[in-house]
Amino acid sequence: MSTKQLQLADSDSGVKTPLKVRDGTLGPSVIDIGNLYPDAGFFTYDPGFKSTASCESAITYIDGAEGILLYRGYPVDQLAEQSSFIEVAYLLLYGELPDRESLEAFQHSITVHTMIHESMLRFFNGFHFNAHPMAMVSGVVGSMSAFYYDSDINNARHRDIFAHRIIAKLPTIAAAAYKHSLGQPFIYPQNHLDYCSNLLNMFFAVPSETYEIDRVAAEALDLLFILHADHEQNASTSTVRLAGSSGTNPYSAIAAGISSLWGPAHGGANEAVLNMLETIGSVEQIPRYVQRAKDANDKFRLMGFGHRVYKNFDPRAKIIREMCHKLLSKLGNTDSPLFELALRLEEIALKDEYFIAKNLYPNVDFYSGIIYKALGIPKSMFTVMFAVARTVGWVAHWQEMIADPARKIGRPRQLYTGPKRRDYVAVEMRKAG
Ligand code: SDX
C-alpha cells in the first residue's frame, strides 16, 4: 500500500470515496479501483487501456519516457550484449539468471522437446502452399491443445512441461510452415545444434545437400530473439492473459496471442515496414510518403514508427539498427538499398515537427525486417519469427497469472450507449426502411 491519499468526491451526492493507492518497485503508482463500482457506483473508462494497469507483474519493466526496458531488472542492452536467448528465456520464466548447471539442464530440456507429433506435421498439408505462415502457425499451435490436454494447470510441474514443450516446438512449427510454403520436405530438429542454429537448419537445409550453419546468422537471430522475448502487457501478451484467465488449455491461450500479434499495428508491423520501404522505393520519394503519414485523412502511416509506451527511442530499435550495420558488412551485402532507405527515412522523419510533436520514433519493428531479409528469411515469415521469440514472454506471463492464488477470470465492463428498454414489435407493425 502507498502513503499517498486519494479520494473520489461526488459533487451530486457529496459522498467522498477513499481510493487505495499502491506503489510498485519502479514506475507509476496505481489507484486500486477493484471496489470502485460497489463503493461508488462507477466503472472507469479507458478504451485502449492507455492509463490502465491490468495486473501486477514482476517480469518486465518499461519506462516509455526514458526508453528503458528491463527483463527481471536486467537492462535489455546488457542481456543483448552478454547473454543468450535460452538464458534470457530461463530468466524470464524463473526470475533469476541460471547457474551453469541449471542453464545446461534447461537447454537440454528444450533440446529434447523440439520434435512435434507426426500427425501435427500432416496438418500443414491441409493448407494451400500460399497460406500466410502466421495462419498456419496459429492453427497448428492451437492444435497442440488436441495433443496435450491432460495437463493440470494448477500443477507447477505440468506448467513447466508446457513451458518447455511450446518454447522448444515453436521453431519446428515455424520452419514447417516455411517448408510447406516452398513445397520442400520438412527438416527435423537436430539435437546437436543450439536453438537458433537448429531453426536456421530447419529453415534452409534440404535433404539433398549438407547445410553449413552461418555463425553470424545464428548470433544475429539469437540477439533478435532476446530483444523480442517480452514487452510487458502488450496486446498479444494481454490476449494470452485474458484467454488464459478462463483456465483454458494453455496452448490455446498461446494461439490466441499469436493471432493478436499478427495485426499490422503490433507484430505484423515488421512485415509491413518492408512492404512500406519497397513501396517508397527511393530516397526521392520519402518526403511524399512522410507527407501522407502526416495527413489525418490519409490512412497511410509510417510502419515501424510510434509506440503506445515509448515516447522516446525504443531501446530495441537502437540495438537492432547498430546490428544492421555490423551484420550487413559481415554478410557482405553492405549496399542494402532498403537499409539505406530506412536510415534516410528515419533521419527525415525525426527532423519533422509532426513526428517530434507526437513523439514518434522508430520501434522494434522498423529495422528487424532488414536483418531477417539479410538472413534470407522471407517477409511473410517475419512475424512468425517475432512469435517464436515472444512465446517465451507469453508463457512467462501465463505462468505468473496462473500461479497467482488471487487469479480471477478477466471480465471488463462497458459504457453502454445502446437503446433503452423497448418492447418487441411484430413484423406487420414495423415501419418500412
Ligand atoms: C509493437 O505494445 C507493445 O509493447 C508492442 C511491441 C511489443 O514488443 O510487444 O512493442 C511491438 O507492436 C511495436 C509497434 C508496431 N506497430 C507499428 O509500427 C505500426 C505503426 N504505428 C502505429 O500504428 C502506432 O504508433 C501504434 C499502434 C504503435 C501506437 O498507437 P497508439 O499508441 O494508439 O497511438 P495513436 O495511434 O493514438 O497515435 C497517436 C498519434 C495519432 O495522431 P492524432 O490522432 O493524435 O492526430 O500519432 C499518430 C496518430 O495518427 N501516429 C502516427 C504513427 N503512429 C501514430 N502517424 C504516422 N505514422 C505512424 N506510424
Side-chain angles (χ1 to χ4, degrees), residues 50 62 230-231 233-236 261 264-267 269 273 293-294 300-311 314 316 354-355 358 360 363-365 386 390:
K50 293 191 173 184
I62 304 173
D230 191 48
H231 212 239
Q233 304 310 324
N234 57 85
S236 54
L261 183 75
H266 191 10
V273 166
K294 293 158 51 175
F300 177 81
R301 283 195 162 180
L302 283 190
M303 301 312 280
F305 268 80
H307 198 278
R308 171 62 59 76
V309 177
Y310 290 122
K311 301 307 173 193
D314 181 333
R316 302 166 297 176
Y354 174 93
F355 290 85
K358 292 179 188 292
L360 298 174
N363 59 49
V364 67
D365 293 305
F386 196 148
R390 187 53 57 89

Side-chain angles (χ1 to χ4, degrees), residues 174-296:
Y178 179 49
K179 284 307 200 187
H180 180 67
S181 73
L182 297 175
Q184 287 184 1
F186 300 124
I187 299 296
Y188 285 87
Q190 294 295 315
N191 288 356
H192 67 281
L193 295 175
D194 64 60
Y195 195 83
C196 289
S197 302
N198 211 3
L199 184 145
L200 290 170
N201 190 59
M202 292 189 285
F203 264 59
F204 298 120
V206 286
S208 45
E209 287 176 17
T210 47
Y211 174 71
E212 202 62 38
I213 303 285
D214 178 336
R215 286 305 324 149
V216 171
E219 281 156 24
L221 211 44
D222 199 82
L223 176 54
L224 281 175
F225 282 3
I226 289 172
L227 297 175
H228 284 81
D230 191 48
H231 212 239
E232 199 214 63
Q233 304 310 324
N234 57 85
S236 54
T237 300
S238 300
T239 301
V240 170
R241 280 181 172 263
L242 190 54
S245 72
S246 71
T248 189
N249 181 299
Y251 299 94
S252 305
I254 300 300
I258 294 172
S259 302
S260 169
L261 183 75
W262 191 4
H266 191 10
N270 54 18
E271 180 179 350
V273 166
L274 255 288
N275 292 332
M276 174 189 73
L277 292 173
E278 287 163 358
T279 304
I280 293 173
S282 69
V283 173
E284 294 68 34
Q285 289 297 317
I286 291 177
R288 179 169 151 244
Y289 283 91
V290 167
Q291 204 44 46
R292 284 192 56 192
K294 293 158 51 175
D295 177 354

Side-chain angles (χ1 to χ4, degrees), residues 73-85:
Y74 294 98
V76 76
D77 50 320
Q78 290 184 18
L79 294 169
E81 190 70 35
Q82 305 172 58
S83 186
S84 69
F85 177 62

Side-chain angles (χ1 to χ4, degrees), residues 331-363:
L331 291 176
N333 44 0
T334 42
D335 61 341
S336 159
L338 283 177
F339 182 46
E340 291 314 314
L341 190 57
L343 288 171
R344 290 284 294 129
L345 175 57
E346 175 192 301
E347 187 190 325
I348 293 170
L350 293 186
K351 286 188 188 125
D352 186 291
E353 197 32 55
Y354 174 93
F355 290 85
I356 295 167
K358 292 179 188 292
N359 296 309
L360 298 174
Y361 291 86
N363 59 49

